[in-house]
Amino acid sequence: MAIQWFPGHMHLTQKAITERFKDGIDVVIELLDARLPGSSANPLLAKLAQGRPALKVLNKQDLADPLQTEAWLAHYNALPQTQALALDASVTAPAQRLIAACRALAPTRGGMAKPMRVLICGIPNVGKSTLINTMVGKRAAKTGDEPGITKLEQRIALAPDFYLYDTPGMLWPKITVPESGENLAASGAVGRNAMDEDVVAAALLGYVRQHYPGQIEARYKLDPSKLDLSALNAAEWLVVIGKKRGAMLAGGRVNLQKAAEMVLHEFRAGTLGRITLETPEEYSRWVVAAEAVEAAAQEKKHARKEKRHSSRQPATETSPE
């Protein structure tokens, strides 16, 4: 399933971020979802940042697998000009660490003559506005549980010589890694009109069953002695959960839409447990596979173009001997 979501306001955000970099930015804070730290990293932002120091913040760490969070922190901290830390955006003390981390990444900036200029970005619904409000200590940014709440860029003074530029949540024009699309959709970063929730929920259940065995059975009180759960595919698990929770239609059919909404809501709220949907190694494999598919597609496209071009060329006339 290919999931794509890049509405018009995201295109405007891309242009605004490009202009902001031209005006001068010292550090880029990218807020990532700790449950999908690779998939929530914006490749478009990496190009726009052009090698500026980066602070990767793994937000919602309280919902993620702590062992995998440590693995992702090590992964990002090993990158040049990059620091990474994990936090829960609603906790005040860790949020204040961001100012100190930014100053460490750009030690030559500071003071009224050279105030620190920091851009904060992230995918939709990653908790950026909540974090900003926590840092400021008042309601400086709108918050909500739907993607696309923040619509305009705003400048916030966190200190007399520290300016934070907030931007709307943004994805990128083409999600080439299929697993990333599914994980972004599961996290709530993608608009509902851009996905089939039953397909996303089934993919989520498939991953959780493989990496966190027994967790779904415990949450939905499924008894393996009464049902051979190992023989079910992910879509069939959704049917079982729908029946267990009473998500039914007339005629005894399961309401797959309602069952999917239930599973996705419980994942997003953390009631399924502390789950991370990708490891650094898995994500690297997904990227390599996606790049191979994209390269093959481009090669076929080029071959078709060459074929059309050659068919338009007039036949070469040979002179008689």
Side-chain angles (χ1 to χ4, degrees), residues 247-278:
M248 306 300 294
L249 296 169
R253 293 177 297 117
V254 173
N255 187 333
L256 291 178
Q257 176 67 25
K258 186 175 180 180
E261 290 174 355
M262 183 191 315
V263 169
L264 293 175
H265 171 75
E266 296 197 354
F267 166 69
R268 294 165 185 171
T271 50
L272 281 184
R274 299 186 67 170
I275 294 168
T276 299
L277 296 179
E278 55 199 36

Side-chain angles (χ1 to χ4, degrees), residues 73-308:
L73 288 174
H75 168 79
Y76 280 120
N77 278 318
L79 300 178
Q81 287 190 290
T82 304
Q83 286 190 29
L85 56 87
L87 55 77
D88 173 356
S90 65
V91 180
T92 303
Q96 299 304 319
R97 294 162 52 196
L98 301 186
I99 295 178
C102 288
R103 293 193 188 280
L105 284 166
T108 62
R109 301 295 302 189
M112 299 307 295
K114 296 189 298 181
M116 178 77 75
R117 300 157 302 179
V118 176
L119 184 74
I120 184 167
C121 304
I123 61 172
N125 212 25
V126 75
K128 181 166 54 62
S129 296
T130 299
L131 173 62
I132 290 172
N133 290 340
T134 302
M135 294 174 73
V136 175
K138 61 182 180 180
R139 190 178 177 86
K142 293 181 180 180
T143 61
D145 60 1
E146 290 291 331
I149 297 296
T150 305
K151 296 294 185 183
L152 300 172
E153 180 194 64
Q154 57 180 335
R155 190 182 81 164
I156 301 166
L158 295 181
D161 64 341
F162 193 107
Y163 296 116
L164 184 70
Y165 293 90
D166 181 24
T167 59
M170 183 179 69
L171 292 176
W172 43 102
K174 184 178 181 182
I175 300 173
T176 58
V177 181
E179 295 88 350
S180 289
E182 293 173 348
N183 289 351
L184 288 164
S187 75
V190 174
R192 295 183 66 177
N193 61 339
M195 62 175 174
D196 294 323
E197 287 169 310
D198 57 327
V199 177
V200 173
L204 170 65
L205 289 171
Y207 188 91
V208 175
R209 282 176 56 216
Q210 180 181 355
H211 292 77
Y212 301 91
Q215 206 150 304
I216 298 174
E217 293 91 327
R219 174 60 188 168
Y220 295 108
K221 296 181 173 59
L222 304 176
D223 188 350
S225 66
K226 296 181 180 180
L227 180 65
D228 186 5
L229 298 171
S230 63
L232 303 180
N233 61 36
E236 291 168 335
W237 271 72
L238 196 58
V239 172
V240 170
I241 291 171
K243 288 181 178 179
K244 188 70 176 181
R245 288 295 182 86
M248 306 300 294
L249 296 169
R253 293 177 297 117
V254 173
N255 187 333
L256 291 178
Q257 176 67 25
K258 186 175 180 180
E261 290 174 355
M262 183 191 315
V263 169
L264 293 175
H265 171 75
E266 296 197 354
F267 166 69
R268 294 165 185 171
T271 50
L272 281 184
R274 299 186 67 170
I275 294 168
T276 299
L277 296 179
E278 55 199 36
T279 68
E281 295 76 18
E282 282 176 330
Y283 183 72
S284 295
R285 290 197 300 269
W286 297 346
V287 170
V288 170
E291 288 175 346
V293 170
E294 186 71 11
Q298 291 299 321
E299 186 175 341
K300 288 182 179 179
K301 183 178 178 180
H302 179 73
R304 288 195 298 267
K305 185 177 179 180
E306 287 293 315
K307 186 176 180 180
R308 287 195 300 268

